[in-house]
Amino acid sequence: MNPSIPPSTTEYGGDEVSAIVLDPGYSTTRAGFAGEDTPKSVVPTYYGKYSTDTEKYIFGDDIFVTPRPGLSIHNPIGRDGVVEDWEMAEKLWEYSFKSRLIGAKPQNPLLNGLNEVPEGELPTEMEGVETEEKPLADSPLLMSECGWNPTKAREKTIEIAMESWGTPAFYLAKNGVLAAFAAGKASALVVDVGASNVSVTPVHDGMVLKRGVQHSPLGGDYISSQIRAMFKNNSPQPITITPHYLVASKTPVEAGQPPQATYKTFPPDKAPDASYRTLLEERTLTEFKECVVQVWPGPNKLSSVGPNGVSNEELAKSSPGRPFEFPDGYNQVFGVDRYRVVESLFDAKAAIPDPGSDFAAPTQAQTIPELIKSALNGVDVDIRPHLLANVVVTGASSLLYGFNDRLSQELMQSFPSPRVRISAPGNTAERRFGSWIGGSILASLGAFHQMWISKKEYDEHGANIVEKRCK
């Protein structure tokens, strides 16, 4: 099939029905129809698992609601953004589009209980007919992937889409390219700050420059671990997070006073797994990040001293604090500490040490300014100024207050001569769903129809076609 010739009428063009765009991330999985502004379905990528007589699974927001006995929380995607548990990833993705986007498929009318069929036999003409249609038999599917996704994982993805879901056409696009398209750019340097990692992707004319792709584990979850470290060192006493499901009632207390709450307890055989509590603590930490945490806007690091001899920390102390109340009623006003928890994204030495954390202490090479330098060093000198003039910021963790100001300051210090321009939409939905919106734009373009991998081509060439067609 020659990509420069439009598909013939017998081949699938993807015109009749709008495609489904699926953008799986470490924290949430987004799905919706191409051509729309925001995804219809946003579900947590975490799922719950518990045993009655058999193993049962809980998907979607229901995992936050019921602390069932022995309920444990898992994530099919590894911290590096690559799928680890394919069986559960498939179930979860299927849930994300089945729950909101496609209704129940029509079943064989002979099985609706109104027609009496003698036991043990089906009328002859219905034999051999699949009673269950595949969920995506009518919809082409565009999926996103991280810039370092291995070949095996890419082949497995098209296999699931074609074999299990029966999609008539499929395409796999890189997150960086989609985020650039969402910002209206064909060439850009995409800085994506997600839950599990930060990635910097140079995109030129709609193609990812693979040598320049950089990523490090300093994403939203790392910031949460820094907040935990700050809570441990808090004075007068360390702060412990008690999730909502363990608080029966509470009475208001003054700032900094011990909480006055009555707690629920679960007997050991009724208690959920420790991973459930961790998940709900993370929700409180996310709220804390949204309400309290700020990035020191610059110029220079939080630890450095200004030209008038006053340190930036002193300046930060003079700005009014931000209050926060925890689920058990404990509340406090957070001053300079709210800047410290994110400082290590820009300055590795500023990390709050925590031996109990899942994250290793960051190195300077993992900070955002260094990742951007390494990404630019991996591409041709001629296009560096063009990329710096089109820096696209995306990912929900980039919504931290003051993040763009600081990034802009850091880039201007590192690259004084070229013009640095940061494009970061103020609309929070556009930042949270950047790569989904790019996919929505791409899959609804008329010119994109010849890019789809049709079922016919997949049957002919096998899963390896995804390597040739989805560069």
Side-chain angles (χ1 to χ4, degrees), residues 84-271:
E84 287 176 351
D85 178 349
W86 282 101
E87 189 188 341
M88 288 318 295
E90 182 184 333
K91 284 184 178 160
L92 183 102
W93 296 341
E94 198 169 314
Y95 171 85
S96 74
F97 57 74
K98 264 187 163 174
S99 60
R100 298 268 181 4
L101 308 182
I102 50 183
K105 291 284 180 194
Q107 290 289 344
N108 176 354
L110 287 165
L111 304 179
N112 65 7
L114 301 174
N115 301 295
E116 288 182 14
V117 180
E119 270 191 28
E121 60 175 86
L122 269 177
T124 46
E125 73 274 13
M126 292 307 294
E127 277 178 12
V129 173
E130 283 187 42
T131 51
E132 198 178 312
E133 275 193 57
K134 294 186 171 170
L136 284 181
D138 306 330
S139 312
L141 176 69
L142 173 92
M143 264 182 84
S144 72
E145 58 167 355
C146 56
W148 52 92
N149 208 14
T151 306
K152 283 248 171 63
R154 306 185 75 201
E155 290 180 1
K156 182 72 183 163
T157 311
I158 187 170
E159 207 174 286
I160 288 175
M162 291 288 184
E163 309 278 347
S164 307
W165 299 338
T167 181
F170 179 78
Y171 193 79
L172 194 58
K174 298 248 187 289
N175 280 334
V177 176
L178 297 180
F181 284 162
K185 299 178 189 298
S187 302
L189 186 69
V190 178
V191 181
D192 184 348
V193 194
S196 62
N197 48 42
V198 175
S199 64
V200 178
T201 312
V203 178
H204 185 62
D205 283 342
M207 300 292 274
V208 168
L209 304 175
K210 284 198 178 127
R211 278 183 324 191
V213 177
Q214 303 289 330
H215 66 284
S216 86
L218 306 188
D221 289 353
Y222 166 76
I223 299 168
S224 296
S225 77
Q226 286 283 288
I227 297 173
R228 282 179 191 272
M230 173 188 88
F231 287 171
K232 282 180 193 168
N233 303 337
N234 185 57
S235 58
Q237 76 264 20
I239 300 173
T240 50
I241 306 167
T242 309
H244 285 287
Y245 78 99
L246 290 172
V247 180
S249 65
K250 60 180 180 183
T251 46
V253 293
E254 290 295 314
Q257 294 306 309
Q260 301 285 319
T262 50
Y263 300 109
K264 289 181 198 160
T265 49
F266 289 92
D269 58 330
K270 291 279 194 316

Side-chain angles (χ1 to χ4, degrees), residues 23 30 37-38 179 182 191-194 392-405 407 422-437:
D23 175 27
R30 294 127 331 228
D37 295 346
T38 49
V191 181
D192 184 348
V193 194
V392 172
V393 176
T394 186
S397 301
S398 70
L399 288 164
L400 288 167
Y401 196 82
F403 180 87
N404 295 341
D405 301 344
L407 185 62
I422 291 184
S423 143
N427 180 342
T428 54
E430 287 180 33
R431 290 267 273 288
R432 286 177 58 206
F433 308 134
S435 50
W436 186 90
I437 292 170

Side-chain angles (χ1 to χ4, degrees), residues 1 154-155 158 162 170-171 451-471:
M1 182 178 174
R154 306 185 75 201
E155 290 180 1
I158 187 170
M162 291 288 184
F170 179 78
Y171 193 79
M451 303 291 284
W452 290 110
I453 298 170
S454 67
K455 180 85 172 91
K456 187 172 137 195
E457 290 173 280
Y458 171 78
D459 293 339
E460 206 173 301
H461 300 282
N464 189 25
I465 187 167
V466 75
E467 278 297 300
K468 300 186 185 84
R469 293 285 290 283
C470 307
K471 288 281 195 293

